[in-house]
Amino acid sequence: MSGTFVGMPSFPKAAHEAVGDATLRANLRHATHTIRDKRARAVAELDDWAALREAGKRIKDDTLRHLGTYLVRLEEAVTRAGGTVHWAADAAEANRIVTDLVKATGETEVVKVKSMATQEIGLNEHLEAEGIAAYETDLAELIVQLGEDRPSHILVPAIHRNRGEIRDIFREKMGSWGRPAPEGLSDTPAELAEAARLHLREKFLRAKVGISGANFMVAETGTLVVVESEGNGRMCLTLPETLISVVGIEKVVPTWRDLEVFLQTLPRSSTAERMNPYTSMWTGTTDDDGPRTFHLVLLDNGRTDALADEVGRQALRCIRCSACLNVCPVYERAGGHAYGSVYPGPIGAILTPQLRGTTSDIDASLPYASSLCGACYDVCPVAIDIPEVLVHLRERVAGEGGKGHRLEKAAMKAAGWVLDHPSALAAGERLASATRKLHPKRLPGPGARQWSDHRDLPELPAEPFRDWWKKNRT
Amino acid sequence: MRVALFVTCVNDAVFPATGVATVRLLERLGVEVDFPAAQTCCGQPQFNTGYREETRPLVRRTVRAFEGYEHVVVPSGSCAAMVRRHYPSFGAEAASLGPRVYELTEFLVDVLGVTDVGAYFPYKVTYHPSCHGLRLLGLGERPRRLLEAVKGLELVELPGAEECCGFGGTFAVKNPDVSAAMGADKITNALSTGAGVLCGADNSCLLHLGGMLRRREDPLRALHLAEILASTEEEPWQ
Ligand code: SF4
């Protein structure tokens, strides 16, 4: 995945910073609570929500089961419609394909519609290294790019920024990327949006190459779909002469009709809208309308590995609505950057370790970045049982026996032995109760010490329950 | 009716008062209570931390300990959820316990068919529905209905009630900062209600929240639902 995040500390360390940042926490709290309340209302409007959720889950599962078949069907349809399909096994291959395609046009600038897949492979950085400037055109993505920042949310990449911060970024940075911010720019949403509009318009009208992702790919017709709110994506998709779409292989759906389900569940789950303002669909190329050349880069990058995992593969159902982020109490406090991946929050905690493996500190810590409260599962429009996958991945990490896990395993084993011997347990409890006056309120040792940095240990009772029972009821 | 009490390891060692209250409450309602001494821990901490193999003997032990009981009552939503939702993945014998396990409020409302248990508790109380009881078991309004029927008790709504308190078993140890931030917000919300008692149906959450409260010395105390329901005019909670 993206080189941007190499060397990230483990989640608890990264989260430590965020938890201490009052502005960040206030920004996140405000944004996530607003959207989660709206989502709940938008979902409650549909009395067949449960059926839609089940249908979405089923369509995705069936597709994943026969993924090879549908991808080949998609390739045939795209080719028939005048497009060219490329297969990329990993990030490096995808980046190379896209760079070669852009270079073949002779251009050194491209406009981009917000895309998780291209972020995942670090395409912008790669293009830059090859002398090609990639301009993000989604408003929030633009803010992140100008601020030389990282996205911290799937849908609202600049969720961690407030209006004042955005105004400052526009004022300071827009000029060096193109049209500068208007004089005396304030932090009202209308003025900020207008500044972005003017800045971007210049780019749309100049660009010869557009790069996008896609929310869905329809196998039967070879149609790609992007849903968005701003309309900037539609300009990227229609104005340039060459369009290159980089899409994860799991985004395919068999038929046009399947969209009926997702075009209802996605907007309500993500932006709490009944329908998203712009739905753009494109099929190959058409004379005198839209791009003359269309390339589809199908990206694997760890997806077939995830597919091979019976429990973990459900993560590939994800339609990137971000509802799970918005309800996650851990995301709300830790912020998106702490996840060290373009996929933050609950979905990031299960998808990233599957796509990248669990060898790095950050990836091995992600399955533990959850209290297993289950709020994410409740809201997921394709019913991904995120807690189940988290526990499953914990098994994998613990089994690999990395840092700290050997000690933990020994402790679990020892505790397991005591717990499997009630008389030993009773003796231990009795001893603990008898010596309770001697117990410290705080625990020694790493981890345990941090625990008791924030809490007092309870005073142990004079006798455990089993002794009370023996005395009073037998 | 005769039931087995599954007291849970946390209650046995740290919160025996919850076990005692559960026994008194059930006996007051005419239920005969057994305490199978072979029980220890349901294995949830091991399971949730990713140690499935270390969980297996505890699953076996728990299932055997409650063999032959039609009703097993447990004053903990998360332990009940462990048995009902996760035991089936350990095989058919393990799966057989799930349908016979009842979280305390489920047992009272669904099996005994009571909401007014004749309790008396003259304090202002706010209720925190623990995540596993709320989402995995679907306890719904049962705990609130039981509390509302308690004489003298004033139930006040907890803002953000359905948000996780940040305990999450080993999560509190592995991610102490985030866990504490979640707990602090929960306590701020609880204090804003002006209640004197923060009630829950799961002592693991209360261990976490109560620990934070003791550190802060706020005029709010964490208390298990069973102790409130066990309290009567003749034998008030103290
Ligand atoms: S996991 Fe579910 S809730 Fe989260 S982003 Fe994906 S589809 Fe949405």
Side-chain angles (χ1 to χ4, degrees):
Chain A
M1 274 171 81
S2 168
T4 337
F5 296 103
V6 161
M8 274 288 291
S10 67
F11 181 84
K13 285 207 196 90
H16 174 80
E17 303 292 315
V19 167
D21 183 339
T23 313
L24 175 68
R25 270 183 69 186
N27 291 352
L28 280 170
R29 186 180 167 78
H30 175 74
T32 56
H33 280 250
T34 309
I35 183 90
R36 87 169 63 154
D37 295 346
K38 277 202 208 155
R39 186 212 76 98
R41 281 196 296 275
V43 164
E45 279 181 0
L46 291 185
D47 48 21
D48 61 346
W49 182 259
L52 283 169
R53 186 178 189 237
E54 184 58 31
K57 172 185 183 219
R58 238 190 9 250
I59 293 167
K60 284 277 181 179
D61 275 349
D62 289 346
T63 314
L64 290 171
R65 199 167 302 131
H66 309 287
L67 192 60
T69 311
Y70 290 117
L71 287 172
V72 169
R73 201 169 289 171
L74 174 79
E75 179 179 32
E76 286 164 4
V78 170
T79 311
R80 221 170 25 240
T84 312
V85 175
H86 310 258
W87 299 80
D90 56 20
E93 192 174 5
N95 283 329
R96 200 184 60 236
I97 293 170
V98 177
T99 310
D100 289 350
L101 289 171
V102 177
K103 281 189 174 164
T105 66
E107 293 296 317
T108 53
E109 282 182 1
V110 299
V111 285
K112 283 186 71 206
V113 38
K114 176 178 157 0
S115 140
M116 298 305 298
T118 60
Q119 276 175 22
E120 177 185 321
I121 60 175
L123 180 64
N124 289 8
E125 294 81 357
H126 187 86
L127 289 174
E128 195 186 330
E130 298 279 334
I132 299 163
Y135 298 116
E136 293 292 348
T137 64
D138 171 87
L139 177 55
E141 206 63 61
L142 173 72
I143 295 164
V144 169
Q145 188 174 43
L146 293 177
E148 289 166 36
D149 197 356
R150 291 174 185 160
S152 68
H153 190 277
I154 296 180
L155 196 79
V156 205
I159 196 171
H160 56 297
R161 298 291 200 180
N162 61 34
R163 295 203 315 245
E165 293 175 286
I166 294 168
R167 179 206 50 211
D168 295 345
I169 291 172
F170 279 11
R171 275 187 186 162
E172 281 164 35
K173 297 287 177 57
M174 263 184 176
S176 48
W177 285 77
R179 185 181 174 128
E183 282 295 311
L185 177 67
S186 80
D187 68 353
T188 60
E191 279 196 33
L192 292 175
E194 184 58 17
R197 200 192 319 272
L198 294 170
H199 180 84
L200 289 172
R201 191 57 54 106
E202 193 190 43
K203 300 225 159 69
F204 286 133
L205 295 174
R206 206 171 59 208
K208 298 275 187 291
V209 181
I211 296 182
S212 83
N215 294 91
F216 305 98
M217 306 185 283
V218 181
E220 65 175 352
T221 54
T223 304
L224 272 69
V225 184
V226 157
V227 298
E228 46 149 354
S229 299
E230 296 168 4
N232 293 342
R234 178 164 292 176
M235 298 218 225
C236 286
L237 295 164
T238 51
L239 293 175
E241 286 166 10
T242 301
L243 174 61
I244 305 168
S245 301
V246 183
V247 190
I249 50 173
E250 82 284 16
K251 293 286 174 101
V252 67
V253 294
T255 69
W256 185 265
R257 180 147 187 205
D258 297 323
L259 296 175
E260 140 192 17
V261 173
F262 300 112
L263 293 183
Q264 293 183 75
T265 52
L266 179 55
R268 283 181 200 256
S269 302
S270 57
T271 48
E273 290 167 304
R274 293 178 182 137
M275 201 179 176
N276 46 282
Y278 294 87
T279 303
S280 303
M281 299 178 167
W282 65 104
T283 312
T285 54
T286 312
D287 290 339
D288 302 324
D289 184 18
R292 290 318 120 67
T293 317
F294 170 59
H295 294 278
L296 171 59
V297 182
L298 290 172
L299 178 70
D300 184 330
N301 205 32
R303 285 161 174 78
T304 44
D305 292 341
L307 196 59
D309 185 314
E310 256 178 68
V311 179
R313 70 168 66 124
Q314 56 186 308
L316 297 178
R317 292 205 296 256
C318 177
I319 56 173
R320 313 277 190 266
C321 71
S322 73
C324 59
L325 278 65
N326 298 328
V327 295
C328 178
V330 175
Y331 175 85
E332 184 188 325
R333 272 87 185 180
H337 293 157
Y339 293 80
S341 147
V342 297
Y343 303 108
I347 182 60
I350 62 167
L351 188 60
T352 307
Q354 293 200 78
L355 296 182
R356 295 199 298 215
T358 47
T359 45
S360 75
D361 274 1
I362 180 78
D363 293 330
S365 69
L366 287 176
Y368 300 93
S370 165
S371 65
L372 303 180
C373 80
C376 49
Y377 178 34
D378 267 14
V379 295
C380 178
V382 284
I384 300 171
D385 192 339
I386 295 175
E388 181 189 20
V389 182
L390 286 167
V391 170
H392 172 74
L393 292 173
R394 289 176 186 187
E395 260 177 65
R396 186 193 292 181
V397 173
E400 283 163 2
K403 243 192 194 170
H405 288 284
R406 268 184 297 272
L407 205 71
E408 186 177 85
K409 195 181 174 86
M412 286 287 174
K413 269 226 162 82
W417 185 87
V418 173
L419 292 168
D420 206 17
H421 294 78
S423 53
L425 174 66
E429 284 171 355
R430 235 163 266 147
L431 179 68
S433 286
T435 57
R436 68 200 173 110
K437 294 283 176 249
L438 308 171
H439 293 185
K441 273 192 174 173
R442 302 183 184 207
L443 288 167
R449 193 180 49 235
Q450 277 158 309
W451 199 88
S452 47
D453 272 351
H454 302 289
R455 311 163 188 84
D456 277 347
L457 287 173
E459 205 172 292
L460 279 184
E463 61 179 3
F465 176 82
R466 57 182 76 231
D467 287 359
W468 176 87
W469 179 270
K470 220 179 233 156
K471 255 189 241 160
N472 297 280
R473 287 294 185 279
T474 50
Chain B
M1 188 187 299
R2 191 181 187 82
V3 305
L5 171 67
F6 177 16
V7 82
T8 84
C9 58
V10 168
N11 289 334
D12 181 15
V14 189
F15 299 103
T18 298
V20 173
T22 306
V23 172
R24 291 210 172 113
L25 168 67
L26 291 174
E27 288 178 346
R28 193 173 81 219
L29 295 170
V31 177
E32 245 182 283
V33 182
D34 274 358
F35 176 73
Q39 63 175 285
T40 56
C41 166
C42 67
Q44 185 183 192
Q46 293 80 357
F47 180 77
N48 279 350
T49 317
Y51 293 92
R52 172 174 275 273
E53 282 321 303
E54 286 70 15
T55 312
R56 202 175 289 280
L58 301 179
V59 171
R60 201 179 307 128
R61 159 166 296 283
T62 305
V63 172
R64 301 246 161 100
F66 297 107
E67 238 160 34
Y69 286 99
E70 203 185 322
H71 297 101
V72 178
V73 180
V74 50
S76 156
S78 68
C79 300
M82 172 71 193
V83 174
R84 203 176 298 157
R85 296 289 291 259
H86 301 311
Y87 270 30
S89 74
F90 289 90
E93 194 197 356
S96 71
L97 180 55
R100 296 180 287 123
V101 159
Y102 297 85
E103 186 276 337
L104 178 61
T105 68
E106 283 178 329
F107 181 76
L108 295 172
V109 176
D110 301 356
V111 181
L112 293 187
V114 290
T115 45
D116 184 350
V117 297
Y120 171 72
F121 193 78
Y123 301 96
K124 197 167 171 180
V125 175
T126 193
Y127 176 71
H128 165 62
S130 293
C131 297
H132 292 173
L134 179 74
R135 300 196 181 86
L136 291 179
L137 291 182
L139 294 183
E141 288 304 304
R142 292 179 187 86
R144 280 195 196 83
R145 280 169 57 202
L146 288 160
L147 285 170
E148 272 163 7
V150 172
K151 226 170 112 195
L153 186 148
E154 184 193 345
L155 185 64
V156 280
E157 202 49 44
L158 176 64
E162 301 196 346
E163 278 169 45
C164 177
C165 70
F167 175 63
T170 44
F171 173 74
V173 179
K174 289 183 181 283
N175 284 286
D177 297 307
V178 179
S179 165
M182 288 160 71
D185 289 346
K186 180 62 72 179
I187 285 172
T188 304
N189 284 338
L191 286 169
S192 77
T193 64
V197 173
L198 172 59
C199 169
D202 227 312
N203 270 329
S204 36
C205 304
L206 299 179
L207 172 78
H208 161 73
L209 294 172
M212 296 186 87
L213 281 171
R214 265 193 299 282
R215 174 67 50 89
R216 300 163 46 116
E217 289 160 10
D218 285 316
L220 179 68
R221 190 191 151 113
L223 198 63
H224 194 283
L225 179 74
E227 292 186 60
I228 294 178
L229 298 183
S231 167
T232 58
E233 264 167 297
E234 299 73 42
E235 272 185 283
W237 171 80
Q238 35 179 307

